[in-house]
Amino acid sequence: MTENDTITCEKFLPHPPAKVWRALTDPELHARWWAAGDVKPVVGHRFTLDMGNFGLQPCEVTEVDEQRLLAYRFAEGALDTTVTWELRPEGEGTRLVLTHAGFDLDSPMGRQAYEGMGKGWPHVLTRLGTVLDETA
């Protein structure tokens, strides 16, 4: 689902928030479901994500609320967007809400990224669920 310059996806994961948080913040697990990079839940931490054909994308953590929220600038100097992961406890699992905001829809690159990521994020969340199912 998209709204203006923002992509929002959500997925229920039958895993507790602590386990989902670990997958979002542990570089080894993160590489298994999305992209390799030295992600850490520390405000101000700078890291790059290896997006394969799209190159290394610089990021900076902007907000952390342990096991509840992780936000970072994504693709600084190129897309200049923000990725926010919100974890909401739901029964014995977690409702994960992803918001990817700030696309410049007036630029060809921004429009293309918005359309591509709008289609791609649901698949990324499915891979995250698979990795969570496979890990202790």
Side-chain angles (χ1 to χ4, degrees):
M1 179 169 38
T2 57
E3 190 173 305
N4 300 327
D5 67 348
T6 302
I7 299 165
T8 303
C9 299
E10 63 179 77
K11 183 172 184 69
F12 175 78
L13 300 162
H15 304 280
K19 186 171 183 178
V20 177
W21 181 257
R22 185 172 160 246
L24 293 175
T25 60
D26 177 290
E28 184 180 316
L29 288 174
H30 196 276
R32 289 178 51 195
W33 61 269
W34 186 29
D38 183 31
V39 62
K40 290 180 187 168
V42 176
V43 172
H45 174 66
R46 293 183 159 282
F47 62 101
T48 52
L49 290 177
D50 183 350
M51 303 304 298
N53 293 338
F54 298 103
L56 297 175
Q57 300 301 325
C59 302
E60 180 181 1
V61 177
T62 58
E63 193 174 353
V64 174
D65 185 356
E66 187 82 15
Q67 296 185 26
R68 294 174 189 240
L69 185 103
L70 175 66
Y72 45 85
R73 289 187 196 99
F74 176 76
E76 291 181 283
L79 290 179
D80 291 316
T81 57
T82 301
V83 174
T84 303
W85 303 96
E86 184 180 353
L87 292 75
R88 300 177 185 162
E90 188 173 305
E92 293 185 20
T94 304
R95 173 127 342 244
L96 182 63
V97 180
L98 160 72
T99 306
H100 193 165
F103 291 92
D104 177 1
L105 300 180
D106 292 328
S107 81
M109 181 178 67
R111 169 82 49 196
Q112 182 181 17
Y114 174 79
E115 291 172 0
M117 292 177 162
K119 294 174 187 168
W121 275 122
H123 300 292
V124 171
L125 294 181
T126 296
R127 285 197 308 270
L128 171 59
T130 300
V131 167
L132 288 168
D133 290 346
E134 295 170 353
T135 58

